[in-house]
Amino acid sequence: MAKLIRMPDLGTTVDSLVINAWLIEPGQSVELGQPLAEIETDKAVNELESVAAGTLLKIVAETGAEVQTGDVIAVIGEPGEDIEAALQGETTPAVPPSAPVRREPAQPEPVASPAPSGERVIVQGVRPENDAPAIYTYAPDTQPDCAGYETPFLLNLYQEMQRIRRFEERVRLLFLEGIMPGTIHQCDGQEACAVGVCATLQDGDVITSTHRPHGHAVARGLPIKELMSELFGRDDGCCRGKGGSMHFGDLARGMVPAIATVGSNVPITAGVGLAFKLRAEERVAVSFFGDGATNEGAFHEGLNLAAVWGLPCIFVCENNYYGASTPVHQSMAAKDIADRAAAYGIEGKIVDGNDVLAVYEAVGAAVANARAGGGPAFLELKTYRLCGHSRRDARDYQPDEEKEFWQGREPISRLRQSMLNAGLAEQDAFDQVDAQVEAELDAAIEHAQAAPFPDGADALEHVWAP
C-alpha cells in the first residue's frame, strides 16, 4: 500500500521549511532510514530520512518548495500502485483525534573486577573552529570477555540492549511520520551503560535519570507498553501521560521519574541515599548523567554530600563525548571526568561503556561495596551516541571517520560476536531474540495508539501547592 511521506516536525521556531534538494528520483528504490531530501530549517540544513521502504512513486513538493509541518511531500510504495488514490487522504490529519476517556484510577552475584585497561586512542577529525582533534577516547578494541558467564544471562543482556535499540529506532520513525507528539532525546549506542548498571541492582534499589531516559527505563524493567503509551500521552502510560519522553519513571519499579534539568538528579540521588542510610536499609541509589552534567554546580554539590555522609550512592557518568554539540575537550581541561571524583575523596573509575560485561563487573563491585556500607562510587563510562542530541539533530558536528570508528565499537554487535566466537550461542538464538523484541514493540505501538487519553480533570491530580 502506498505510503504518504509527510514533513515531520523538526522542532524549529517556525513551521515553514524549504526543500533544498531531493537525493533520489521517482522510480528509484528506497530503504528504511535512507536520506530522501535535504531540508532547510530556520537553523540548519538537515537530511530527511525515509520512514518507509519501497519505490519513490512521486515527489509532491519539488526542490525549492516551501512546506509546512505535516504536508505530504512524496509517495512511496510499489510500482503500479494508484498514487492519486493514496493522495486523496492528503488533508487527513496524521494523528486522528480521539475523545478523552477517563479510566479508574533473582539477581546474579556481582563479580568484582577492576576497570578494563586499554590504550588511549585518538580519533582524528578537525572541527572548523578548533585545531584540536575532535575526540580523545578510551576505547579498547576488544570483545567482551564472556568466560565464566552462563548463556541465558548473556542472552538476557543482549535482549535488553536490543530492546532499547529497537525501541529508540521505532520511536524515531514514529516522530518522523508525525504520528507521535512531543520531542525525544535518544540513546542509540549507549545501551551497555543502562543494561550493565541495572543488571547489578535488586528490587528496592532506585535509579534517577536525565532528559535521555528511555534506555534507563527499559533496563530498569518498566513495561514497554507503558513507556510507549507515555510517549503517546495516554492514560495508561508510566506517568499517566503527563510526563512524556523526558520524564519516564515509576518509583514503584525503582525509577524516580526522570529529571530533564541537566545535573539536577545528582543531589536528588544523594537525598535518596540519605533516606536509605537513615532507615538502615541495604539499598542503593544510582544516578545516571552525561558528561555535560559534570560542569553543573548541582553535580559537585551532590557528590560532596554523598562523600561527606558516606551515602550508598553510585554516580554513573555516561560520557558520550558531546554536551549537545560541544566536544568534551572544549568544555573541560581534565583528561578524564573520573579525575574529578578525587576532589571529594571518592575513587573514580574509567570503564569501557560499550562493553556491557565490563560495566556489569565494575558497577557490580561498587554496588556491593555501597550496599555493605562502603560509601559512594563514581564511574565514568566511555561510550558514544550514534544519534543526534535530539530529534532534529543531523550530527554534522561529528566527523564521519569518528562515527565510523564508534559504529565499529557499538555494544550490541560486540556482545553478539563475542558469544558467537566463544560458541555460547548460534545465530538462530539471536534471530529469535530479535523477532521477540520486534513483536513486543509492534504490540506496544498498537496498544498505545488505541489507549485512552487522560481526562482533563486529571491535570489537577498529584499536584501539591501550599
CSV table of all heavy atoms in Angstrom, one decimal, residues 18-54:
chain,number,residue,atom,x,y,z
A,18,VAL,N,12.0,24.5,3.8
A,18,VAL,CA,12.3,24.6,2.4
A,18,VAL,C,13.0,23.3,2.0
A,18,VAL,O,14.0,22.8,2.6
A,18,VAL,CB,13.1,25.8,2.0
A,18,VAL,CG1,13.5,25.7,0.5
A,18,VAL,CG2,12.4,27.1,2.3
A,19,ILE,N,12.6,22.7,0.9
A,19,ILE,CA,13.2,21.5,0.3
A,19,ILE,C,14.4,22.0,-0.6
A,19,ILE,O,14.1,22.5,-1.7
A,19,ILE,CB,12.3,20.6,-0.5
A,19,ILE,CG1,11.2,20.1,0.5
A,19,ILE,CG2,13.0,19.5,-1.1
A,19,ILE,CD1,10.1,19.2,-0.1
A,20,ASN,N,15.6,21.8,-0.1
A,20,ASN,CA,16.8,22.3,-0.8
A,20,ASN,C,17.1,21.4,-2.0
A,20,ASN,O,17.4,21.9,-3.1
A,20,ASN,CB,18.0,22.3,0.1
A,20,ASN,CG,18.1,23.6,0.8
A,20,ASN,OD1,17.3,24.5,0.7
A,20,ASN,ND2,19.2,23.8,1.6
A,21,ALA,N,17.0,20.1,-1.8
A,21,ALA,CA,17.3,19.1,-2.9
A,21,ALA,C,16.7,17.8,-2.6
A,21,ALA,O,16.7,17.3,-1.4
A,21,ALA,CB,18.8,19.0,-3.1
A,22,TRP,N,16.3,17.1,-3.6
A,22,TRP,CA,15.9,15.7,-3.5
A,22,TRP,C,17.1,14.8,-3.8
A,22,TRP,O,17.8,15.1,-4.7
A,22,TRP,CB,14.7,15.3,-4.4
A,22,TRP,CG,13.4,15.8,-3.9
A,22,TRP,CD1,12.8,16.9,-4.2
A,22,TRP,CD2,12.6,15.1,-3.0
A,22,TRP,NE1,11.6,17.1,-3.5
A,22,TRP,CE2,11.5,15.9,-2.8
A,22,TRP,CE3,12.7,13.9,-2.3
A,22,TRP,CZ2,10.4,15.6,-1.9
A,22,TRP,CZ3,11.7,13.5,-1.4
A,22,TRP,CH2,10.6,14.4,-1.2
A,23,LEU,N,17.3,13.8,-2.9
A,23,LEU,CA,18.5,12.9,-3.1
A,23,LEU,C,18.3,11.7,-3.9
A,23,LEU,O,19.2,11.0,-4.2
A,23,LEU,CB,19.1,12.6,-1.7
A,23,LEU,CG,19.4,13.8,-0.8
A,23,LEU,CD1,19.8,13.3,0.6
A,23,LEU,CD2,20.4,14.7,-1.4
A,24,ILE,N,17.0,11.4,-4.2
A,24,ILE,CA,16.7,10.3,-5.1
A,24,ILE,C,15.6,10.8,-6.0
A,24,ILE,O,14.9,11.8,-5.8
A,24,ILE,CB,16.2,9.1,-4.3
A,24,ILE,CG1,14.9,9.4,-3.5
A,24,ILE,CG2,17.2,8.5,-3.4
A,24,ILE,CD1,14.3,8.2,-2.9
A,25,GLU,N,15.3,10.0,-7.1
A,25,GLU,CA,14.4,10.4,-8.1
A,25,GLU,C,13.2,9.4,-8.2
A,25,GLU,O,13.4,8.2,-7.7
A,25,GLU,CB,15.1,10.4,-9.5
A,25,GLU,CG,16.2,11.5,-9.6
A,25,GLU,CD,16.9,11.4,-10.9
A,25,GLU,OE1,16.5,10.5,-11.8
A,25,GLU,OE2,17.8,12.3,-11.2
A,26,PRO,N,12.1,9.8,-8.7
A,26,PRO,CA,11.0,8.9,-8.8
A,26,PRO,C,11.4,7.7,-9.6
A,26,PRO,O,12.1,7.7,-10.6
A,26,PRO,CB,9.9,9.7,-9.6
A,26,PRO,CG,10.2,11.1,-9.2
A,26,PRO,CD,11.7,11.2,-9.1
A,27,GLY,N,10.9,6.5,-9.1
A,27,GLY,CA,11.3,5.2,-9.8
A,27,GLY,C,12.4,4.5,-9.1
A,27,GLY,O,12.6,3.3,-9.3
A,28,GLN,N,13.2,5.2,-8.3
A,28,GLN,CA,14.3,4.6,-7.6
A,28,GLN,C,13.8,3.9,-6.3
A,28,GLN,O,12.8,4.4,-5.7
A,28,GLN,CB,15.4,5.6,-7.2
A,28,GLN,CG,16.1,6.2,-8.4
A,28,GLN,CD,17.3,7.1,-8.0
A,28,GLN,OE1,17.1,7.9,-7.1
A,28,GLN,NE2,18.3,7.1,-8.8
A,29,SER,N,14.5,2.9,-5.9
A,29,SER,CA,14.1,2.2,-4.7
A,29,SER,C,14.6,2.9,-3.5
A,29,SER,O,15.7,3.6,-3.5
A,29,SER,CB,14.7,0.7,-4.7
A,29,SER,OG,16.1,0.8,-4.8
A,30,VAL,N,13.9,2.8,-2.4
A,30,VAL,CA,14.2,3.5,-1.1
A,30,VAL,C,14.3,2.5,0.0
A,30,VAL,O,13.4,1.6,0.1
A,30,VAL,CB,13.2,4.6,-0.8
A,30,VAL,CG1,13.6,5.3,0.4
A,30,VAL,CG2,13.0,5.5,-2.0
A,31,GLU,N,15.3,2.6,0.9
A,31,GLU,CA,15.4,1.8,2.1
A,31,GLU,C,14.9,2.5,3.3
A,31,GLU,O,15.0,3.8,3.3
A,31,GLU,CB,16.8,1.3,2.3
A,31,GLU,CG,17.3,0.4,1.2
A,31,GLU,CD,18.7,-0.1,1.5
A,31,GLU,OE1,19.3,0.3,2.5
A,31,GLU,OE2,19.3,-0.8,0.6
A,32,LEU,N,14.4,1.8,4.3
A,32,LEU,CA,14.0,2.5,5.5
A,32,LEU,C,15.2,3.2,6.1
A,32,LEU,O,16.3,2.6,6.3
A,32,LEU,CB,13.5,1.4,6.5
A,32,LEU,CG,12.9,1.9,7.8
A,32,LEU,CD1,11.6,2.6,7.6
A,32,LEU,CD2,12.7,0.7,8.8
A,33,GLY,N,15.0,4.5,6.4
A,33,GLY,CA,16.1,5.3,7.0
A,33,GLY,C,17.0,6.0,6.0
A,33,GLY,O,17.9,6.7,6.4
A,34,GLN,N,16.8,5.7,4.7
A,34,GLN,CA,17.7,6.3,3.7
A,34,GLN,C,17.4,7.8,3.6
A,34,GLN,O,16.2,8.1,3.6
A,34,GLN,CB,17.5,5.6,2.4
A,34,GLN,CG,18.3,6.1,1.2
A,34,GLN,CD,18.0,5.4,-0.1
A,34,GLN,OE1,17.5,4.3,-0.1
A,34,GLN,NE2,18.4,6.0,-1.2
A,35,PRO,N,18.3,8.6,3.4
A,35,PRO,CA,18.1,10.1,3.2
A,35,PRO,C,17.3,10.3,1.9
A,35,PRO,O,17.7,9.8,0.9
A,35,PRO,CB,19.5,10.7,3.2
A,35,PRO,CG,20.3,9.7,3.9
A,35,PRO,CD,19.8,8.4,3.6
A,36,LEU,N,16.2,11.0,2.0
A,36,LEU,CA,15.4,11.3,0.9
A,36,LEU,C,15.7,12.7,0.3
A,36,LEU,O,15.7,12.8,-0.9
A,36,LEU,CB,13.9,11.3,1.3
A,36,LEU,CG,13.2,10.0,1.6
A,36,LEU,CD1,11.8,10.2,2.0
A,36,LEU,CD2,13.2,9.1,0.3
A,37,ALA,N,15.8,13.7,1.2
A,37,ALA,CA,16.0,15.0,0.7
A,37,ALA,C,16.7,15.9,1.7
A,37,ALA,O,16.8,15.5,2.9
A,37,ALA,CB,14.6,15.7,0.5
A,38,GLU,N,17.3,17.0,1.3
A,38,GLU,CA,17.9,18.0,2.2
A,38,GLU,C,16.8,19.0,2.5
A,38,GLU,O,16.2,19.6,1.6
A,38,GLU,CB,19.1,18.6,1.6
A,38,GLU,CG,20.3,17.7,1.5
A,38,GLU,CD,21.5,18.4,0.9
A,38,GLU,OE1,21.4,19.5,0.5
A,38,GLU,OE2,22.6,17.8,0.9
A,39,ILE,N,16.6,19.2,3.8
A,39,ILE,CA,15.5,20.2,4.2
A,39,ILE,C,16.2,21.3,5.0
A,39,ILE,O,17.0,21.1,5.9
A,39,ILE,CB,14.5,19.5,5.2
A,39,ILE,CG1,14.0,18.2,4.5
A,39,ILE,CG2,13.4,20.4,5.5
A,39,ILE,CD1,13.2,18.4,3.2
A,40,GLU,N,15.9,22.5,4.6
A,40,GLU,CA,16.4,23.7,5.3
A,40,GLU,C,15.4,24.2,6.3
A,40,GLU,O,14.3,24.6,5.9
A,40,GLU,CB,16.8,24.8,4.2
A,40,GLU,CG,17.4,26.0,4.9
A,40,GLU,CD,17.8,27.1,3.9
A,40,GLU,OE1,17.7,26.8,2.7
A,40,GLU,OE2,18.1,28.2,4.3
A,41,THR,N,15.9,24.3,7.5
A,41,THR,CA,15.0,24.9,8.6
A,41,THR,C,15.5,26.3,8.9
A,41,THR,O,16.4,26.8,8.2
A,41,THR,CB,15.1,24.0,9.8
A,41,THR,OG1,16.4,24.2,10.4
A,41,THR,CG2,14.9,22.5,9.5
A,42,ASP,N,15.0,26.9,9.9
A,42,ASP,CA,15.4,28.2,10.3
A,42,ASP,C,16.8,28.2,10.9
A,42,ASP,O,17.4,29.2,11.2
A,42,ASP,CB,14.4,28.8,11.3
A,42,ASP,CG,14.3,28.0,12.6
A,42,ASP,OD1,14.3,26.7,12.4
A,42,ASP,OD2,14.1,28.5,13.6
A,43,LYS,N,17.3,27.0,11.2
A,43,LYS,CA,18.6,26.9,11.9
A,43,LYS,C,19.7,26.1,11.1
A,43,LYS,O,20.9,26.4,11.3
A,43,LYS,CB,18.5,26.2,13.3
A,43,LYS,CG,17.6,27.0,14.3
A,43,LYS,CD,17.6,26.3,15.6
A,43,LYS,CE,16.8,27.2,16.6
A,43,LYS,NZ,16.8,26.6,18.0
A,44,ALA,N,19.3,25.2,10.3
A,44,ALA,CA,20.3,24.3,9.7
A,44,ALA,C,19.7,23.6,8.5
A,44,ALA,O,18.5,23.7,8.2
A,44,ALA,CB,20.9,23.3,10.7
A,45,VAL,N,20.6,22.9,7.7
A,45,VAL,CA,20.1,22.0,6.7
A,45,VAL,C,20.3,20.6,7.2
A,45,VAL,O,21.3,20.2,7.6
A,45,VAL,CB,21.0,22.2,5.4
A,45,VAL,CG1,20.6,21.2,4.3
A,45,VAL,CG2,20.8,23.7,4.8
A,46,ASN,N,19.2,19.9,7.1
A,46,ASN,CA,19.1,18.5,7.6
A,46,ASN,C,18.7,17.5,6.5
A,46,ASN,O,18.1,17.9,5.6
A,46,ASN,CB,18.1,18.4,8.8
A,46,ASN,CG,18.5,19.2,10.0
A,46,ASN,OD1,19.6,19.2,10.5
A,46,ASN,ND2,17.5,20.0,10.5
A,47,GLU,N,19.2,16.3,6.7
A,47,GLU,CA,18.7,15.3,5.8
A,47,GLU,C,17.4,14.6,6.3
A,47,GLU,O,17.4,14.3,7.5
A,47,GLU,CB,19.8,14.2,5.6
A,47,GLU,CG,21.0,14.6,4.8
A,47,GLU,CD,21.9,13.5,4.5
A,47,GLU,OE1,21.8,12.5,5.2
A,47,GLU,OE2,22.8,13.7,3.6
A,48,LEU,N,16.4,14.5,5.5
A,48,LEU,CA,15.2,13.9,5.9
A,48,LEU,C,15.2,12.4,5.5
A,48,LEU,O,15.4,12.0,4.4
A,48,LEU,CB,14.0,14.5,5.1
A,48,LEU,CG,12.6,13.9,5.4
A,48,LEU,CD1,12.3,14.2,6.9
A,48,LEU,CD2,11.6,14.5,4.5
A,49,GLU,N,15.1,11.5,6.6
A,49,GLU,CA,15.2,10.1,6.4
A,49,GLU,C,13.8,9.5,6.0
A,49,GLU,O,12.8,10.0,6.4
A,49,GLU,CB,15.7,9.4,7.6
A,49,GLU,CG,17.1,9.8,8.0
A,49,GLU,CD,17.5,9.2,9.3
A,49,GLU,OE1,16.9,8.2,9.7
A,49,GLU,OE2,18.5,9.7,10.0
A,50,SER,N,13.8,8.5,5.2
A,50,SER,CA,12.6,7.8,4.8
A,50,SER,C,12.0,7.0,5.9
A,50,SER,O,12.8,6.3,6.6
A,50,SER,CB,12.9,6.9,3.6
A,50,SER,OG,11.7,6.2,3.2
A,51,VAL,N,10.7,7.0,6.1
A,51,VAL,CA,10.1,6.2,7.1
A,51,VAL,C,9.4,5.0,6.5
A,51,VAL,O,8.6,4.3,7.2
A,51,VAL,CB,9.0,7.1,7.9
A,51,VAL,CG1,9.6,8.2,8.6
A,51,VAL,CG2,7.9,7.6,6.9
A,52,ALA,N,9.7,4.7,5.3
A,52,ALA,CA,9.2,3.5,4.6
A,52,ALA,C,10.2,3.0,3.6
A,52,ALA,O,11.0,3.7,3.1
A,52,ALA,CB,7.9,3.9,3.9
A,53,ALA,N,10.0,1.7,3.3
A,53,ALA,CA,10.9,1.1,2.2
A,53,ALA,C,10.0,0.9,1.0
A,53,ALA,O,8.8,0.6,1.1
A,53,ALA,CB,11.5,-0.2,2.7
A,54,GLY,N,10.6,0.9,-0.2
A,54,GLY,CA,9.8,0.7,-1.4
A,54,GLY,C,10.4,1.5,-2.6
A,54,GLY,O,11.6,1.6,-2.7
